[in-house]
Amino acid sequence: MANRLYLYPIWLRIWHMINALLFLALIVTGLSMQYSPVENPLIEFQTAIAVHNIAGILIIAAYIIFMVTNFSSSNKKYYVMKKKGLMDRLMKQSRYYAYGMFKGESTPFPVTEDEKFNPLQKLSYVGVIYILLPILMITGLALLYPEFIVHKVFGLNGTMLTALLHMFMGFLLTLFLLIHLYFASLSKKKFANFKSMITGWHEH
Amino acid sequence: MIKLSHKYSLVFLLSFAVLFSSAQEEVREYTNAGENHHCLKCHGQSFYTFYNDWTELDVRKIMPQEYYVDTVMFYSASHWDFKCTDCHTEDYQTFPHDGELRMEFLNTCVDCHGGDEDWEHFKFEDIEEDFNASVHSPETLPNFSCWSCHDPHSYKLDYRNTEDLISTISKNNDACMKCHNQESHMRLHTDEPFKDLATSHEFLPNQRAHYNKVRCIECHGDLDGEALVAHKILPAEESVKNCKECHSKNSLLMASLYKFQSQENRKKFGFYNASILNESYVIGASKNYILNVFTIVVFALSILAILTHAIILRISKKKNHGK
Ligand code: HEM
């Protein structure tokens, strides 16, 4: 089976599964706390707070384990962005999604042992793992321990700014999830990518 | 010598009091300071001295904490221009005080302020009515009076003209905590088993954050009362337990703690309940209208883009197949 690649080791799949479930729990409870009406909350406020806090702490723990394992494994190589020709590669991949794909062209960056992500995928994963998730987690922790938050920032309420940043990151990540899910579904065979994320094997 | 040093300490303390009060008010003239000094030279210190006629010696003794009156606080309180003997009987001039004096009658707030046009806006009568209907009513707790919360020697009008809401909240809550967080104080009023606040409020997460940012009466007071500060404290089971009463767009905080501020700038930078934002961030109550609209629009556009992509992909696949 030359066209099978083992790309998703077991620890990665477990992290990913846990991360996805916790993230969904965080989205639902977060939205419920902030937006559901008084009379019939989506989830009871107290329950929502408790679930959100626990899921938040667990997702941070999972993230730390992911970072440590990722850095001590060969998987880290997929998260290195090379600056040279980056723009070109991004344009090429975007052109493929917006045009070439409809023409039946084959992908410009086929999945290989050395490069499992296409340039757009890589950009979004690196952004999510190194920037968005850390900010989300740090602001979340700060809201859990508000005594560490600066009370006033240029005359504005520090907690409010922290909360706004937290919500904005949550929003961007939910948007990421939406797009992530859609592009993961774009495989030749139906659900092939989702299967990969369960078995670990990528099939061409 | 001792007399002289007392005089100096009085001058020192008074200049402090002036410093403290002059920040907001015109410089005060303490017309009764001299007379009060006679009492405060004992009650304003942690020890007192008197001449023992029997042993013919000067004696130094500890002033019991309960009888200590803080001089600086007294002269910055609402009743700062009072003589001790305006409220207490003149007979306290003599020491040792006559044992019968502890039975002296002390006026309550309404005895002086009631039925007086000058004080109408404070609604003293309504407050007394609310107090009598509250869990602390003299009927259930005979030792309880207005003075139980309004320390006679330091009470200062605060919330009505506060510019620092956080410190007002802390002072208001201290008045409740003095008893409810301290078993020895509760014992003066009841033989019921003591329940400490942390356990009775286990349902409330981030208790510290709440006690720092809301008053006890937000949850325990009957907010329909006439007075600016709710005085009808409801029984535990009638208190606010539903988080959404505060953590929602129409937060009760706007009708209680932020009663004053809420009339102005309801919306600032597109925020609902903008006035809360100066002091607190309340999940669910502090919402930004512009941000809400923005996120919904971006989400809708993204879903639309994905759907379009998916549809074009389907159509083109069929076409490519046909070839
Ligand atoms: C129900 C939710 C989710 C599903 C069904 C899902 C599905 C998938 C699939 C099929 C892949 C492999 C294909 C690919 O490489 O693109 C993948 C990879 C990945 N996903 Fe997700 N995902 C979900 C949620 C998330 C969330 C919430 C995050 C982060 C916040 C995330 C981050 C990642 C990352 C970083 C990878 C690459 C892992 C690696 O190979 O190193 N996913 N996901």
Side-chain angles (χ1 to χ4, degrees), chain A residues 7-8 12 15-16 19-21 23-24 66 70 75 78-79 116-117 121 125 128-129 133 173 176-177 180-181 183-184 193-197:
Chain A
L7 292 182
Y8 308 105
L12 181 72
W15 165 76
H16 186 266
N19 186 61
L21 290 178
F23 199 75
L24 287 177
F66 167 82
N70 201 32
N75 202 56
Y78 303 118
Y79 289 83
K116 66 174 165 181
F117 303 144
Q121 241 178 335
Y125 291 164
V128 162
I129 295 290
L133 271 180
L173 279 164
F176 158 80
L177 183 59
H180 182 57
L181 287 178
F183 281 107
N193 284 339
F194 297 111
K195 265 189 214 137
S196 314
M197 223 40 196

Side-chain angles (χ1 to χ4, degrees), chain A residues 9-12 15 62-76:
Chain A
I10 180 74
W11 62 265
L12 181 72
W15 165 76
Y63 176 81
I64 293 171
I65 294 172
F66 167 82
M67 285 303 257
V68 171
T69 325
N70 201 32
F71 263 102
S72 49
S73 78
S74 65
N75 202 56
K76 65 169 173 290

Side-chain angles (χ1 to χ4, degrees), chain A residues 32-38 45-46 49 97 101-104 143-144 146 151-152 156-157 159-160 163-164 167-168 171 174-175 178-179 182 186, chain B residues 203 205-206 242-244 247-248 250 269 271 277-281 283-284 286-287 291-292 294-295 298-299 302-303 306 309-310 312-313 316 320:
Chain A
S32 170
M33 277 190 294
Q34 190 67 359
Y35 296 110
S36 71
V38 186
F45 190 78
Q46 246 165 305
I49 295 256
Y97 278 145
M101 176 171 220
F102 304 138
K103 291 268 160 215
L143 290 173
L144 200 55
H151 185 52
K152 287 267 142 106
L156 289 171
N157 182 333
T159 316
M160 184 264 287
L164 276 186
M167 275 191 281
F168 193 59
F171 163 69
T174 312
L175 210 57
L178 202 67
I179 297 166
Y182 179 60
L186 294 181
Chain B
F203 70 94
N206 305 59
N242 182 357
C243 323
K244 282 272 169 188
H247 290 282
S248 63
N250 33 12
F269 319 126
F271 278 101
L277 280 178
N278 294 333
E279 306 293 351
S280 281
Y281 171 80
I283 304 170
S286 321
K287 288 183 194 170
L291 209 67
N292 280 0
F294 172 78
T295 49
V298 172
F299 254 108
S302 309
I303 290 174
I306 288 176
H309 194 271
I312 299 179
L313 191 63
S316 65
N320 294 342

Side-chain angles (χ1 to χ4, degrees), chain B residues 137-314:
Chain B
S137 80
E139 250 171 60
T140 45
L141 305 169
N143 281 328
F144 219 98
S145 70
C146 310
W147 299 116
S148 303
C149 297
H150 295 280
D151 185 289
H153 312 118
S154 65
Y155 165 65
K156 186 175 180 201
L157 194 61
D158 196 345
Y159 174 63
R160 178 174 286 270
N161 32 25
T162 187
E163 278 173 14
D164 179 2
L165 202 52
I166 299 296
S167 104
T168 301
I169 291 170
S170 138
K171 277 182 230 151
N172 282 197
N173 288 356
D174 281 350
C176 313
M177 301 242 205
K178 183 181 83 183
C179 289
H180 286 288
N181 240 358
Q182 215 171 318
E183 188 165 5
S184 56
H185 262 100
M186 285 299 268
R187 284 281 157 267
L188 296 175
H189 299 275
T190 176
D191 293 325
E192 297 280 320
F194 178 71
K195 297 157 246 173
D196 73 299
L197 283 185
T199 18
S200 55
H201 294 81
E202 237 163 11
F203 70 94
L204 190 66
N206 305 59
Q207 274 188 36
R208 269 278 116 231
H210 281 98
Y211 298 157
N212 287 340
K213 296 292 174 72
V214 294
R215 296 170 300 177
C216 313
I217 55 170
E218 254 73 70
C219 294
H220 288 294
D222 175 10
L223 298 179
D224 296 334
E226 287 288 319
L228 180 64
V229 179
H231 273 75
K232 186 168 160 191
I233 309 295
L234 302 165
E237 47 293 349
E238 287 171 44
S239 313
V240 172
K241 203 171 189 175
N242 182 357
C243 323
K244 282 272 169 188
E245 297 273 345
C246 290
H247 290 282
S248 63
K249 205 166 92 187
N250 33 12
S251 175
L252 73 77
L253 291 175
M254 298 308 284
S256 57
L257 187 56
Y258 293 94
K259 213 175 197 168
F260 276 163
Q261 291 93 328
S262 64
Q263 274 138 28
E264 0 165 333
N265 61 32
R266 246 169 234 283
K267 278 193 183 165
K268 192 157 73 183
F269 319 126
F271 278 101
Y272 295 112
N273 302 332
S275 43
I276 297 183
L277 280 178
N278 294 333
E279 306 293 351
S280 281
Y281 171 80
V282 186
I283 304 170
S286 321
K287 288 183 194 170
N288 190 301
Y289 176 73
I290 300 166
L291 209 67
N292 280 0
V293 172
F294 172 78
T295 49
I296 290 170
V297 168
V298 172
F299 254 108
L301 286 179
S302 309
I303 290 174
L304 203 67
I306 288 176
L307 280 180
T308 320
H309 194 271
I311 290 169
I312 299 179
L313 191 63
R314 246 196 124 87

